[in-house]
Amino acid sequence: MTDVTENPEMPEIPDAPETPETPEIDLAEALAAKDQEIAEMKDRLLRVMADGENTRRRLERDKAEATQYAVTGFARDMLAVAENLRRAVAALPADGFDNVRTGIEATERELLAIFGRQGISRIEITAGEPLDPNRHQAMLEVESDMDAGSVVAELASGWTMRDRLLRPAMVSVSRADG
C-alpha cells in the first residue's frame, strides 16, 4: 500500500488555518446588541406610526372645520345686508309705507332664518355687562353711572358662526372716573 501523501496525482491539502475559538460570551453580547437594536427600531416604528395617525386625525379635523366654516367670508359680507335691512325699517316714517315696512321686515326675517340654519347668530348685548374683548369692540367711552369698563350701549351688532366670532359687537363703554 502506498501512502496518500506520497501519491503524486493527488494535490496536497494545506492544513486549515487555525481559528481562535469564539468565546460564548461574544455571541451573547452580539445577540444582546441585536436585541437592543431591534427594540430601538420597534420603538421608532411605533413612534412613526403614531405620528402618522396623529397627522391623519389632524387633517381630518382641519377638513371638517374647513367644510363647516367655508362660508365664513360670505357670511361676514351678508352681515352688512342684515344691518342695512334693520336700518331701512328704522328709517321709514311712522305713517304710510306699511307695505314697504312689511316687505323689508319679511326679508330681514328670512335672512335671519337662513343665518340660523347656518349657525350664525347675533351676540346678545346687555347694558351694564363688563366689556369682553372676545365679544365686544369698544368704539368710544362715555360718561355713565355704570362701573368703569361696562357696556353702555350697542352701536352695531356682533355675530358668531357656531363657536367662532364673525364680528365683535361694537359698543360704547363707561369711562373710568379720573
Side-chain angles (χ1 to χ4, degrees), residues 142-159:
V142 295
E143 295 291 330
S144 172
D145 295 336
M146 296 181 194
D147 293 337
S150 296
V151 173
V152 174
E154 179 181 38
L155 305 175
S157 297
W159 297 84

Side-chain angles (χ1 to χ4, degrees), residues 9-177:
E9 296 172 8
M10 299 265 312
E12 190 174 319
I13 300 174
D15 290 336
E18 285 191 33
T19 56
E21 283 191 33
T22 309
E24 188 70 29
I25 254 178
D26 288 344
L27 291 176
E29 286 178 9
L31 184 59
K34 292 298 180 185
D35 285 346
Q36 177 66 27
E37 186 178 345
I38 289 170
E40 288 173 2
M41 286 183 178
K42 276 185 178 179
D43 183 59
R44 279 192 297 203
L45 175 65
L46 290 174
R47 289 178 188 274
V48 166
M49 289 174 61
D51 189 39
E53 182 65 18
N54 290 340
T55 300
R56 184 188 63 78
R57 285 183 188 153
R58 188 185 76 247
L59 290 174
E60 284 177 1
R61 186 181 62 241
D62 290 350
K63 179 183 172 188
E65 282 185 6
T67 301
Q68 189 174 29
Y69 296 105
V71 296
T72 300
F74 178 72
R76 234 181 237 120
D77 292 342
M78 292 304 293
L79 296 179
V81 174
E83 296 290 327
N84 286 335
L85 288 172
R86 183 169 293 261
R87 286 185 195 107
V89 169
L92 287 174
D95 295 331
F97 298 101
D98 291 336
N99 291 337
V100 173
R101 180 184 316 278
T102 302
I104 293 172
E105 287 173 344
T107 304
E108 181 185 25
R109 278 192 307 276
E110 181 61 26
L111 180 61
L112 293 177
I114 292 169
F115 279 179
R117 288 192 298 270
Q118 297 301 316
I120 301 168
S121 59
R122 184 176 282 140
I123 297 173
E124 297 299 323
I125 302 295
T126 307
E129 71 179 281
L131 180 71
D132 179 358
N134 296 316
R135 298 176 6 155
H136 308 131
Q137 181 175 350
M139 300 305 291
L140 57 110
E141 289 184 324
V142 295
E143 295 291 330
S144 172
D145 295 336
M146 296 181 194
D147 293 337
S150 296
V151 173
V152 174
E154 179 181 38
L155 305 175
S157 297
W159 297 84
T160 60
M161 180 175 201
R162 293 175 188 84
D163 58 344
R164 287 191 181 174
L165 184 68
L166 281 177
R167 184 178 78 192
M170 296 178 196
V171 297
S172 60
V173 294
S174 61
R175 181 178 305 170
D177 292 332

